[in-house]
Amino acid sequence: MSIAERSPFKYSVAGRLISDPLAVAAVTIIAILVLGAVFADFIAPYDYKALNVRARFAPPSFEHLLGTDNLGRDTFSRLLFGARIALFVGMTSVGLAALIGLTLGMIAGFGPRWLDNTILFLFDTLRAYPTIILALALGALLSPGLGTVISVVVLTSLSEYGRVARTQTQAISGREFIDAERAMGASTMRILVMHILPNVLGPFFILAAINLPVVITIEAGMSFLGVGVAPGTPSWGATLKDGFDYIRNTPWLIVSGGIPLILVTLGFTFLGESLRDVLDPKLRKER
Amino acid sequence: MTATFNPFTAAQLSRRQLLAGAAGLGAMAAMPIKVWAAGNTLNIRTYTEGDNFDPVDASGFGEEMLYGCIYRKLIQYTPGNEWGWQPDLVEVIEQTSPTEIAFTLKKGQMWSDGFGEITAEDVKFSLERIIDPKMESAIKPDLGSLSGVEVTGTHTGVIKLSSPFAPIWSIALPYLAGTIVCKKAIGEGKRITDAVPPTVAGPYRVAELRPGDRWVLERNPEFTGPKADFEKVQIILIDDEATAEIAFEAGDLDFTRIGLGSIERLRENPPENAVLSEHPSLYYVWVGMNMENPKLKDIRVRQAIQHAIDVPSILEAAYFGVADASTGIIAPGLIGHRAENLVPPQADFAKARAMLDEAGVDTLDLKLDVLNKSTWTTAAQVIQATLAEVGINLSIGVHESGSFWSLGKEADGDRWKSLELVLNRFSMTPDPYYATAWFTTEQIGKWNWERFSNEEFDKLHKAAMGETDTAKRDRMYKRMQDLMEESGAYRFITHEAAPNLYSKELKPAVRPDSLPLIQYFAKA
C-alpha cells in the first residue's frame, strides 16, 4: 500500500485508539461512568438523600439494584451521584496540579540555574509529604470537605507534573530549532508557548490519565478516613466507609462501594496505557 | 564458574515443604493465645488506654480498670444492677455528721514488696494529695468539699468535709480519687513515675506494660484478700467495637463491650459459648446550641430547632432502636432523673415552622459539628434531614477527637465564636452532681459550649451538692434540667445502651452501667 492510499483518520491518534481493543474497553468504561454521572438525575431510581431507616441494609434486589445503606438509602443512586464528586475531584485536582506543575516545570527547565534549583527544592519538599499524613493534617486544620481533598491532591501531585515538564523543557530547549527561534528574535514566552508546550503536552496527557484513578482513590480514601466529603454527600469513599463500619450487618455495602472504584481504575489505566502506545513514538517502533 | 551455597538445595527443601513449615510455625505461634484464652488468663478489652499508675494523674475509666486490679479503696462499687457500694479496706465506715466520716481499717491488709501494712496514714496521704493544689490533679473535683483526713490511730481516721458533699459515697470514695496508694513507697509531694508501680495491694500486680497494646497483670501472691481467680489478666486496647467483636469470636477476648449495631444480630444468633448482656448506660447525648452565636440568639429559633429534631428517628437510625430517648442529662435510676421532657422526643414540624415564622426566619443555614464516629455521623444525617423539613439547611462538620474537643474551649482559640450546633456526649458517674457541674456559668468556655448561664441553675447546683435529703435533692436536679431545656439550648437525645459480650466460661462482675470490675471477675 502506498503512502498516498493511507487513510488519514486511521493513522491519527483517534484512529489508532479505535483500533486498539484496550482503548475501546477503556473509553467504554469511562463513557459509562461519565454518562452515569451527567445523567444521574434521570437514571437514579431513587432520591439519593431519601432516608428509609426501616429498609436499611437491604441486599441487592430488583427494587434496589445494589441494596441499601445504613440509613436505607438506595446504594445504586448514591453511587451514580458519587460519580459526579469523584469525577469533579479527579478532573479539578489533576487539572490544577497539571497546570501549576506545567508552569513551574517549564520555568525551571527554561530559566536560570538558581531558579531551577529553587523550584526543584519546592518539588522535593512537596514530594516528601506522605499523602495520607498531609490529608489527615489538613483535614484536622481545615474542616473536611471537597476543598481539602482537592488541596491535598494538588499539593502532593503537582511536583510529579512539574518534574516531567522540566525534563521535557530541558530536552527540547537545547534543540536547533529553538536556537533558530532565538536567533530570529522570538521572545521567551513565544518559545515556551508555541514551541516547547506542544512537545510537553503528550506525556502530560498520559500522566493525567494514569493519575486520575489515583486521585479518585485518594478522595475515596480521605472520605473513608473521615477527612473527605461531609457526611450525607454521596461519595464512593463514604459508601466504602459505611460498608466497613457495618460490615458485620451487611457485606453488600462494601462490595457495592468498591465496584465503581475498580471500574474507574481499570478504565483510566487502560486509557493511559493506550495513549502511551499511541503517543510515544519509541514504544510504537518497539511494538 | 564459581559454586555458590544455596540453603534450599543444600537442605533439600522444596517449596512445598517450605510452605508447610511456615504454616506449621504460624499455627504454633497462635497456640499460646488460644491456650491462655481457654485457661487461666482473662483477656478483657479496654477502649481507652490509661496514662500511668498514679491516681493523682488519672483521667478516666482506662485507669480505673487497672487500679481496680492493683490497688484498693475504702469502699468499692458493688457489682450488679443497682448502684451501691461495699466495704473493701474498711471494717467500719459511717457518716458521723454531715461533714465527717469515720472509718476503721481491717487489720493485716498488706502492701506488696515489703512496704508493710496499709494504715490510716496511707488513707490520709492518698486523699490529701489529690486535693493538694501543688499536685494539680485533674480529678480533684471528684473529692468535692473534702478538706482533709484526721488520723486517730493506726487503723482509724476521720474524713473531713468543709461542707456537706452527698457524692462522697457515689463518686469520691469508690472511684478513681478514692484509690489508696502507699505513702512509704511514693513519698510526700512525689508522683509514681516508675515503669511499674513500686508496690500494689490489689489481687493482681503488673507483669508487663505494652503501650498502645495491653497491660499484662499477674496474680499478686501477697494479696491479703480472697485469692484472685485468674493467674493472668490482659487488658487489651481495642478502640473499634467491630474489631473487638471479631477478636472475641476469634477467641482473643473473653469480655468486651460491643457496638449497638450488633445487638439485633447477636440476640438472634449469639456466638457459640458466649453470652450477650445488655445494660443501661449513664452517658448522655444531646444537641447543644451556642446561645451567643448571632444565628441562635433568639430563643424562638432555638426552641424551633428543639421541636424540629426527631429523637425517635435518630435512635432508630444511629442506635438501631436499642437505646431509649433521654429526658435530660441524668439517667434513669439516679437521683434527679426526670420522667419526661418539656419538649416531647417526637418532632413537631408545624410548631417549629411557626416558631421560625414568629422569629422572622424564612430559611436558615446552620452547621452541626460532630465527632468522626459512625454513630455521630449517622445521627447528624438524620438531624440534617429533619431540620430540612422546616427550612433549615444543615451542613455537617466532622472532626477527629483532638479537633472536636477544642471546639468550644476558649483556651484553644476563637472557634467557639463560630460554633453553632454540636452533637455532644459526656460520660457520667452515678451522682447527678457530676452531670450538672459542666453547665454552670463558671464552665462557660470550658465544657459549657452552649454558653448557658442561669443564676437559679448555679445556685441549685451548689445547694444540691450538699443536700442530704434525697427527695429534696431529686427535686433540685429535676428543676435544673427544666431550666436547661427551657433555655432552648439543649435537645436531649439518649443515654445510649451498654451491651457486653462475654464467654460462658466467665462470671463477670460489672457496674450497673456495664463497666467491668475486673477484680471481681471469676471463672464460671
Side-chain angles (χ1 to χ4, degrees):
Chain A
M1 190 166 63
S2 68
I3 292 171
E5 287 169 331
R6 279 183 174 180
S7 153
F9 178 74
K10 190 177 174 186
Y11 292 95
S12 68
V13 170
R16 287 205 300 270
L17 279 177
I18 282 176
S19 63
D20 181 359
L22 196 66
V24 173
V27 171
T28 309
I29 292 170
I30 293 166
I32 290 171
L33 287 168
V34 171
L35 290 175
V38 172
F39 297 107
D41 289 309
F42 305 103
I43 302 169
Y46 296 91
D47 176 0
Y48 73 86
K49 297 191 293 280
L51 310 187
N52 182 7
V53 176
R54 295 198 185 281
R56 68 175 158 216
F57 302 134
S61 63
F62 286 116
E63 201 180 346
H64 296 285
L65 286 177
L66 293 174
T68 60
D69 68 4
N70 56 314
L71 287 166
R73 297 171 297 200
D74 182 60
T75 307
F76 178 64
S77 304
R78 289 186 69 75
L79 291 176
L80 275 177
F81 282 94
R84 282 187 181 176
I85 303 272
L87 292 174
F88 171 74
V89 170
M91 300 286 188
T92 313
S93 317
V94 168
L96 277 174
L99 186 67
I100 300 168
L102 180 73
T103 310
L104 289 175
M106 284 174 68
I107 292 170
F110 205 75
R113 183 168 282 274
W114 67 265
L115 190 58
D116 183 25
N117 286 338
T118 309
I119 293 172
L120 271 184
F121 178 74
L122 173 75
F123 288 163
D124 289 341
T125 308
L126 290 173
R127 193 86 187 134
Y129 280 103
T131 308
I132 294 298
I133 302 295
L134 185 68
L136 289 173
L138 282 182
L141 285 174
L142 315 169
S143 60
L146 281 183
T148 308
V149 176
I150 292 169
S151 308
V152 167
V153 173
V154 170
L155 281 173
T156 53
S157 58
L158 76 88
S159 61
E160 200 177 341
Y161 294 100
R163 280 190 168 277
V164 170
R166 174 185 170 269
T167 311
Q168 289 287 108
T169 306
Q170 281 182 335
I172 295 161
S173 60
R175 300 258 184 94
E176 285 158 2
F177 74 93
I178 299 292
D179 290 340
E181 276 289 316
R182 277 203 190 104
M184 286 192 290
S187 68
T188 303
M189 184 60 81
R190 181 183 164 80
I191 293 170
L192 280 173
V193 175
M194 300 301 290
H195 299 286
I196 294 179
L197 182 63
N199 287 288
V200 174
L201 282 180
F204 253 67
F205 283 127
I206 300 167
L207 194 59
I210 290 172
N211 266 355
L212 250 167
V214 177
V215 168
I216 290 171
T217 313
I218 291 174
E219 181 277 312
M222 286 179 68
S223 296
F224 181 84
L225 292 171
V227 290
V229 297
T233 313
S235 139
W236 295 346
T239 303
L240 270 180
K241 184 178 183 334
D242 288 340
F244 172 75
D245 286 340
Y246 299 106
I247 197 163
R248 312 282 293 168
N249 300 79
T250 177
W252 294 111
L253 205 48
I254 205 157
V255 172
S256 306
I259 291 171
L261 277 172
I262 294 169
L263 285 177
V264 81
T265 306
L266 283 176
F268 281 103
T269 308
F270 288 171
L271 182 67
E273 289 287 323
S274 304
L275 274 175
R276 192 170 58 181
D277 288 353
V278 170
L279 293 175
D280 191 330
K282 197 178 159 200
L283 269 177
R284 214 182 309 153
K285 259 185 242 167
E286 283 168 2
R287 280 208 307 175
Chain B
M1 196 173 85
T2 54
T4 53
F5 174 73
N6 183 331
F8 292 98
T9 51
Q12 293 296 305
L13 186 67
S14 71
R15 186 177 152 274
R16 230 169 244 282
Q17 285 168 322
L18 179 73
L19 287 174
L25 282 172
M28 278 167 66
M31 264 179 68
I33 297 169
K34 292 283 178 192
V35 171
W36 286 345
N40 272 322
T41 296
L42 168 66
N43 294 308
I44 188 163
R45 172 203 169 209
T46 178
Y47 62 88
T48 170
E49 189 178 30
D51 289 325
N52 53 63
F53 296 111
D54 196 333
V56 87
D57 293 318
S59 57
F61 198 76
E63 282 102 355
E64 174 66 8
M65 282 173 85
L66 176 68
Y67 296 169
C69 293
I70 64 173
Y71 296 128
R72 299 183 68 180
K73 298 174 179 127
L74 296 181
I75 57 172
Q76 301 258 15
Y77 288 122
T78 314
N81 295 325
E82 297 285 329
W83 284 103
W85 56 266
Q86 60 190 16
D88 181 12
L89 281 173
V90 293
E91 197 168 74
V92 181
I93 186 163
E94 59 181 339
Q95 186 122 25
T96 49
S97 80
T99 54
E100 287 189 340
I101 294 164
F103 66 88
T104 304
L105 298 177
K106 291 173 194 163
K107 286 180 184 151
Q109 304 297 303
M110 305 300 287
W111 291 109
S112 68
D113 302 281
F115 282 94
E117 194 182 10
I118 301 171
T119 65
E121 276 296 339
D122 290 321
V123 176
K124 179 181 169 68
F125 171 74
S126 303
L127 299 182
E128 288 186 356
R129 69 199 290 265
I130 300 282
I131 59 169
D132 183 353
K134 284 185 211 146
M135 298 302 281
E136 295 179 341
S137 174
I139 57 170
K140 185 183 168 194
D142 288 7
L143 291 182
S145 61
L146 188 133
S147 57
V149 178
E150 184 191 336
V151 175
T152 53
T154 310
H155 299 102
T156 56
V158 179
I159 296 168
K160 306 250 181 188
L161 306 172
S162 57
S163 58
F165 181 60
I168 190 92
W169 298 102
S170 52
I171 297 178
L173 296 180
Y175 197 51
L176 283 173
T179 305
I180 306 302
V181 290
C182 180
K183 183 181 177 183
K184 203 196 279 184
I186 300 172
E188 288 285 358
K190 293 183 181 162
R191 291 175 135 82
I192 301 174
T193 51
D194 303 336
V196 291
T199 179
V200 296
Y204 297 98
R205 65 183 180 188
V206 180
E208 195 185 346
L209 173 64
R210 296 187 218 161
D213 178 22
R214 67 189 64 192
W215 289 303
V216 183
L217 312 177
E218 60 190 9
R219 194 182 277 149
N220 174 14
E222 297 174 73
F223 178 53
T224 37
K227 186 178 157 190
D229 237 25
F230 296 93
E231 276 176 19
K232 194 181 252 187
V233 173
Q234 297 200 92
I235 304 175
I236 302 166
L237 178 67
I238 302 176
D239 176 45
D240 182 60
E241 284 168 340
T243 310
E245 201 182 316
I246 293 165
F248 181 87
E249 285 174 14
D252 294 343
L253 286 176
D254 302 313
F255 182 97
T256 179
R257 180 167 174 178
I258 54 160
L260 299 179
S262 299
I263 290 185
E264 205 177 328
R265 181 172 44 81
L266 290 171
R267 274 181 193 156
E268 288 165 14
N269 293 308
E272 206 181 323
N273 213 23
V275 179
L276 171 71
S277 65
E278 294 173 51
H279 307 260
S281 158
L282 294 184
Y283 287 100
Y284 49 98
V285 180
W286 77 99
V287 174
M289 301 169 220
N290 181 358
M291 295 170 72
E292 289 183 19
N293 188 293
K295 290 181 188 174
L296 296 162
K297 268 197 166 161
D298 190 329
I299 189 171
R300 291 168 297 186
V301 174
R302 296 197 299 269
Q303 287 175 337
I305 293 170
Q306 282 181 320
H307 284 284
I309 294 175
D310 191 55
V311 176
S313 299
I314 297 171
L315 299 179
E316 186 60 40
Y319 295 93
F320 296 84
V322 297
D324 294 325
S326 60
T327 58
I329 55 176
I330 298 168
L334 299 184
I335 292 167
H337 169 70
R338 295 191 302 175
E340 56 186 32
N341 307 47
L342 302 178
V343 179
Q346 292 78 13
D348 185 340
F349 297 126
K351 192 169 185 178
R353 189 58 252 173
M355 284 175 151
L356 287 175
D357 288 341
E358 201 185 314
V361 175
D362 183 22
T363 56
L364 186 60
D365 292 325
L366 288 172
K367 188 180 176 195
L368 172 69
D369 289 296
V370 298
L371 262 171
N372 62 350
K373 293 270 181 190
S374 58
T375 302
W376 313 119
T377 53
T378 303
Q381 288 175 70
V382 177
I383 295 168
Q384 186 180 47
T386 53
L387 289 187
E389 297 277 336
V390 295
I392 296 174
N393 305 312
L394 190 74
S395 61
I396 302 168
V398 182
H399 304 263
E400 53 81 37
S401 66
S403 165
F404 180 82
W405 291 113
S406 65
L407 278 172
K409 287 189 180 171
E410 286 177 15
D412 291 340
D414 284 341
R415 289 203 297 170
W416 64 269
K417 287 180 185 166
S418 55
L419 191 68
E420 292 170 1
L421 306 185
V422 64
L423 181 58
N424 220 331
R425 172 196 191 241
F426 278 2
S427 63
M428 176 64 178
T429 55
D431 193 280
Y433 144 84
Y434 202 79
T436 53
W438 315 113
F439 302 100
T440 57
T441 305
E442 196 186 46
Q443 284 291 326
I444 288 178
K446 294 172 187 164
W447 292 109
N448 180 354
W449 295 0
E450 293 76 18
R451 309 184 76 78
F452 164 74
S453 177
N454 184 292
E455 208 177 318
E456 186 186 351
F457 183 96
D458 294 348
K459 278 183 186 164
L460 281 169
H461 173 71
K462 268 190 187 160
M465 215 172 7
E467 181 56 62
T468 48
D469 181 332
T470 307
K472 210 169 167 188
R473 203 164 175 244
D474 185 62
R475 283 197 297 277
M476 291 164 120
Y477 283 110
K478 282 177 176 162
R479 174 66 187 147
M480 288 160 84
Q481 289 168 95
D482 287 348
L483 291 170
M484 288 173 82
E485 202 170 6
E486 278 165 9
S487 75
Y490 302 87
R491 179 56 157 156
F492 302 120
I493 309 290
T494 182
H495 292 291
E496 303 190 333
N500 285 329
L501 194 60
Y502 62 89
S503 162
K504 273 185 181 161
E505 291 166 16
L506 199 65
K507 204 172 151 194
V510 296
R511 301 189 334 187
D513 60 354
S514 92
L515 293 173
L517 300 162
I518 304 175
Q519 63 271 36
Y520 301 129
F521 271 51
K523 290 175 191 167

